[in-house]
């Protein structure tokens, strides 16, 4: 029972997930879902989402705009405004170098600095709100006292979005793991990255592995220590470099080079640059009349597609 909960927490803390429809605009990372930013992250733009949680020792060089609640943990620095449609929780030592506007209640800790003043329409409490990680640990400790396995699974599913695949895709938050660095040129995370369908991202993506959904546009390159998977109708305005296998689906357009240990390339995909795959390239063919997918290993190390 304990290992089940421990795995749930560990998986939640060590992943990067950008849900369907995420947009990384010039100055804002935008989604209609909840957003959870791990501790010690540096982000050179703002955030816009439903509920937004920023863990300890983060620096955001932009504004935070939430349609729900905002929780900013201890010793974070926000170089912009914080605008909250519901309640806000600011931990000890938080610095907001813009305005703070809260439509609901405000919990504020010690030594909080707000340079351009604040406005709260609800109750204001001066106390140190509970850090997010402490809240999660207390939540798990409470689950340990439960005897019914189904109750534990239901509770973890509600907290971490660990439901069936369809419901999970509809409710999963945007997750940025601890220690990530996001600026105008590089989107770098020390974990596996999952990018949903219909996203539009600017910057060069660096991760342990990358899985890109359908119909996404990336204005930059992809580089991973492990595998890279690119879903149908996605467009990458840059190179794709993976130290393991790279898989490119139908109707994908890569405007740069593809470098991989081995490559699986759909015959209806297009690569404008040079392919380098020492372990070979396998071409995925369209389904034949019998409904089977066929593939062919080209055995080519460095072919070039026009």
């Amino acid at each position: 029972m304990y290992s089940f909960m421990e795995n749930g927490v560990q998986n939640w803390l060590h992943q990067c997930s950008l849900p369907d429809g995420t947009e990384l605009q010039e100055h804002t990372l935008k989604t209609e879902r909840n957003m959870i930013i791990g501790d010690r992250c540096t982000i050179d733009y703002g955030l816009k989402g439903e509920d937004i949680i920023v863990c300890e020792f983060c620096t955001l060089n932009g504004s935070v705009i939430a349609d729900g609640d905002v929780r900013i943990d201890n010793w974070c620095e926000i170089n912009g405004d914080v605008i909250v449609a519901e309640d806000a929780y600011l931990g000890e030592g938080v610095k907001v170098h813009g305005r703070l506007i809260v439509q609901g209640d405000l919990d504020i800790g010690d030594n909080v600095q707000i340079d351009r003043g604040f406005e709260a329409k609800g109750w204001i409490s001066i106390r140190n709100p509970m850090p997010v990680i402490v809240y999660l640990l207390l939540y798990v400790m409470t689950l340990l006292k439960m005897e019914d396995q189904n109750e534990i699974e239901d509770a973890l599913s509600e907290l971490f979005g660990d439901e069936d695949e369809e419901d999970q895709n509809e409710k999963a938050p945007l997750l940025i793991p601890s220690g990530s660095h996001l600026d105008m040129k590089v989107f770098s995370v020390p974990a596996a990255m999952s990018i949903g369908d219909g996203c539009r991202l600017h910057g060069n993506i660096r991760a342990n592995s990358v899985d890109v959904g359908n119909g996404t546009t990336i204005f930059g390159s992809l580089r991973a220590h492990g595998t890279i998977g690119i879903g149908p109708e996605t467009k990458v305005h840059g190179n794709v470099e993976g130290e393991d296998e790279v898989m490119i689906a139908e109707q994908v357009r890569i405007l740069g080079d593809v470098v991989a240990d081995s490559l699986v390339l759909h015959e209806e995909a297009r690569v404008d640059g040079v392919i380098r795959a020492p372990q070979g390239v396998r071409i995925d063919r369209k389904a034949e009349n019998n409904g089977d997918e066929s593939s062919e290993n080209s055995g080519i190390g460095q072919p070039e597609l026009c």
Side-chain angles (χ1 to χ4, degrees):
M1 182 171 64
Y2 177 76
S3 61
F4 172 81
M5 288 179 293
E6 183 180 34
N7 290 336
V9 175
Q10 291 299 321
N11 291 337
W12 179 83
L13 291 174
H14 296 90
Q15 63 177 310
C16 178
S17 177
L18 305 183
D20 297 348
T22 298
E23 294 186 7
L24 177 49
Q25 301 170 341
E26 185 176 359
H27 299 293
T28 306
L29 181 61
K30 179 181 177 182
T31 181
E32 296 180 356
R33 313 282 186 88
N34 296 338
M35 308 180 76
I36 303 174
I37 310 300
D39 60 279
R40 303 178 189 276
C41 290
T42 300
I43 301 177
D44 278 352
Y45 33 79
L47 305 175
K48 187 178 189 304
E50 187 63 30
D51 293 346
I52 298 178
I53 295 173
V54 182
C55 294
E56 296 180 322
F57 299 103
C58 287
T59 300
L60 274 63
N61 294 320
S63 297
V64 176
I65 302 173
D67 295 327
D69 295 341
V70 163
R71 178 182 289 272
I72 300 176
D73 269 0
N74 302 338
W75 310 109
C76 288
E77 186 170 3
I78 313 297
N79 291 304
D81 300 329
V82 177
I83 301 174
V84 189
E86 296 183 10
D87 300 333
Y89 308 82
L90 303 185
E92 180 180 3
V94 168
K95 295 181 180 180
V96 178
H97 295 296
R99 300 173 299 158
L100 173 63
I101 299 177
V102 182
Q103 299 298 321
D105 299 337
L106 172 63
D107 276 14
I108 191 167
D110 298 331
N111 302 315
V112 171
Q113 174 184 329
I114 304 171
D115 289 352
R116 297 179 59 190
F118 70 92
E119 174 185 339
K121 295 187 177 180
W123 292 96
I124 300 176
S125 301
I126 301 176
R127 59 185 178 184
N128 285 326
M130 182 184 301
V132 174
I133 190 65
V134 175
Y135 167 78
L136 292 175
L137 290 174
L138 290 176
Y139 193 95
V140 171
M141 290 173 65
T142 301
L143 294 182
L144 284 171
K145 299 178 182 178
M146 294 184 180
E147 296 182 358
D148 189 343
Q149 180 74 14
N150 292 330
E151 290 182 6
I152 297 174
E153 293 181 1
D154 291 343
L156 281 175
S157 295
E158 181 179 354
L159 180 62
F160 299 117
D162 191 15
E163 306 173 12
D164 62 72
E165 185 174 355
E166 183 176 355
D167 290 341
Q168 186 176 10
N169 290 336
E170 291 178 356
K171 300 178 182 179
L174 184 150
L175 299 173
I176 302 295
S178 301
S180 298
H181 182 86
L182 285 61
D183 61 30
M184 296 301 179
K185 294 183 179 180
V186 178
F187 193 121
S188 178
V189 299
M193 176 183 289
S194 174
I195 302 173
D197 301 339
C199 297
R200 190 176 179 88
L201 307 176
H202 292 258
N204 300 309
I205 292 174
R206 306 288 183 263
N208 289 346
S209 63
V210 181
D211 184 19
V212 184
N214 303 346
T216 286
T217 301
I218 299 173
F219 294 94
S221 62
L222 293 177
R223 182 182 297 171
H225 299 296
T227 61
I228 297 177
I230 302 177
E233 301 181 5
T234 287
K235 194 171 186 178
V236 180
H237 293 255
N239 299 331
V240 175
E241 302 177 22
E243 297 180 10
D244 204 328
E245 185 178 56
V246 171
M247 294 160 285
I248 300 177
E250 66 270 19
Q251 304 299 329
V252 170
R253 174 84 181 275
I254 309 296
L255 276 70
D257 299 338
V258 174
V259 179
D261 184 57
S262 62
L263 173 65
V264 179
L265 178 67
H266 196 278
E267 67 172 347
E268 293 187 351
R270 175 176 173 181
V271 178
D272 289 0
V274 175
I275 294 175
R276 295 181 177 87
Q279 299 301 317
V281 178
R282 189 171 79 247
I283 304 297
D284 272 2
R285 304 295 183 186
K286 294 170 61 176
E288 303 294 343
N289 293 332
N290 59 9
D292 295 332
E293 289 284 343
S294 62
S295 63
E296 176 182 338
N297 193 325
S298 69
I300 301 174
Q302 299 183 6
E304 180 173 356
L305 297 187
C306 300

